[in-house]
Amino acid sequence: MSAFEQFNPDFYQSNYDINDQEDTSNDHGSNSNPASSGGFEPKVFVPSATTQTSELYAGHFLQPSEVYTPFGPTSTIYGGTDDEPPLLEEIGINFDHFWQKTLTVLNPMKPADGSIMNETDLAGPIVFCLTFGATLLLAGKVQFGYVYGISVFGCLAIYTLLNLMSCTEVSIGCVASVLGYCLLPMVILAGIAVLFSLQGVFGVLLALIVIGWCSLSASKMFTSTLAMEGQQLLVAYPCALLFGIFTLLTIF
């Protein structure tokens, strides 16, 4: 018995016999049926009805209806960018409103737009406060701490007073925005103090004009924002006291 026949026949059971291979090779090319020789009969795969009736893939499976272009003018997934506001406007910096508020301060007789003045825009006040402190520094006065300290306490005082006087509630940001924009004439006065000495009659008159200018602009903005008709003089008085302190810092 050969070594191949010594293997356990239970390891792989099959009807295949080595003698059938010789008979198949001898009968190769004849018209006899391979199944009649008693040897191995190959199995032929016959497709089922489900396989025969299945449709071939036509390339439409999970195919998007529209092609998304990441850097195109419009995006079908995230939407277009034409309706989005500018970045500076999203973070609260609007140069159009900045310019309109500045013109309103420079022209006290111009009526103020209440919708614009009600915004808590602090970009302009910060710029004017820094400019005012830098102008005082050019005159040899390091007053940055006094400017910020007086501004904070003045905003809190005016905020409390306006909430007591008006029926409409006002925010602290709106008060700080209006008072900061109205500091622009004081910056002009500090610039004049760099070139000329204001410790005289001319300086006192010029300081009174600037105080009236700032207080009139601030009271006009507050009355237009809070609908306080007939109370502009009552609002202008505490504003004049606040801007008078800044005038003392400028002159002396």
Side-chain angles (χ1 to χ4, degrees):
M1 182 180 294
S2 62
F4 178 78
E5 296 177 354
Q6 291 179 359
F7 285 100
N8 189 4
D10 294 334
F11 179 75
Y12 179 78
Q13 296 182 2
S14 175
N15 295 326
Y16 177 76
D17 191 3
I18 192 171
N19 297 323
D20 296 335
Q21 184 178 3
E22 297 177 356
D23 298 337
T24 305
S25 60
N26 294 328
D27 296 338
H28 180 71
S30 62
N31 296 327
S32 61
N33 190 4
S36 62
S37 62
F40 176 74
E41 181 180 358
K43 296 182 179 181
V44 180
F45 173 74
V46 179
S48 61
T50 307
T51 308
Q52 293 177 358
T53 57
S54 61
E55 297 179 358
L56 297 177
Y57 175 67
H60 298 288
F61 183 70
L62 295 179
Q63 182 177 0
S65 58
E66 296 181 1
V67 179
Y68 170 66
T69 305
F71 302 100
T74 57
S75 173
T76 59
I77 298 179
Y78 301 101
T81 58
D82 297 336
D83 298 335
E84 295 183 359
L87 179 60
L88 294 178
E89 187 175 350
E90 288 184 357
I91 63 178
I93 301 176
N94 193 339
F95 287 103
D96 186 19
H97 293 177
F98 178 82
W99 179 247
Q100 291 183 11
K101 290 182 180 180
T102 304
L103 292 179
T104 304
V105 174
L106 294 177
N107 187 8
M109 302 302 174
K110 178 183 178 181
D113 189 358
S115 61
I116 297 178
M117 299 305 167
N118 199 19
E119 296 180 355
T120 57
D121 178 20
L122 298 179
I126 292 176
V127 172
F128 291 152
C129 286
L130 291 175
T131 307
F132 182 60
T135 309
L136 293 178
L137 185 61
L138 293 177
K141 303 174 183 179
V142 185
Q143 306 291 351
F144 284 99
Y146 289 103
V147 170
Y148 292 136
I150 295 171
S151 300
V152 171
F153 286 106
C155 290
L156 292 176
I158 299 298
Y159 167 74
T160 305
L161 183 63
L162 290 177
N163 283 327
L164 293 175
M165 293 177 60
S166 64
C167 299
T168 306
E169 184 179 0
V170 63
S171 62
I172 185 66
C174 179
V175 174
S177 178
V178 172
L179 293 178
Y181 275 102
C182 293
L183 195 64
L184 178 58
M186 199 64 59
V187 176
I188 299 175
L189 179 65
I192 297 175
V194 175
L195 302 176
F196 306 99
S197 177
L198 300 180
Q199 297 182 3
V201 179
F202 174 75
V204 173
L205 293 177
L206 187 59
L208 292 176
I209 294 174
V210 172
I211 292 173
W213 187 359
C214 295
S215 59
L216 181 61
S217 299
S219 60
K220 178 187 62 176
M221 292 183 183
F222 284 131
T223 53
S224 63
T225 303
L226 302 176
M228 300 172 60
E229 291 81 2
Q231 303 182 20
Q232 185 174 358
L233 294 178
L234 296 177
V235 178
Y237 176 71
C239 293
L241 295 178
L242 175 61
F243 291 112
I245 301 175
F246 290 114
T247 305
L248 295 177
L249 293 176
T250 305
I251 296 177
F252 301 102

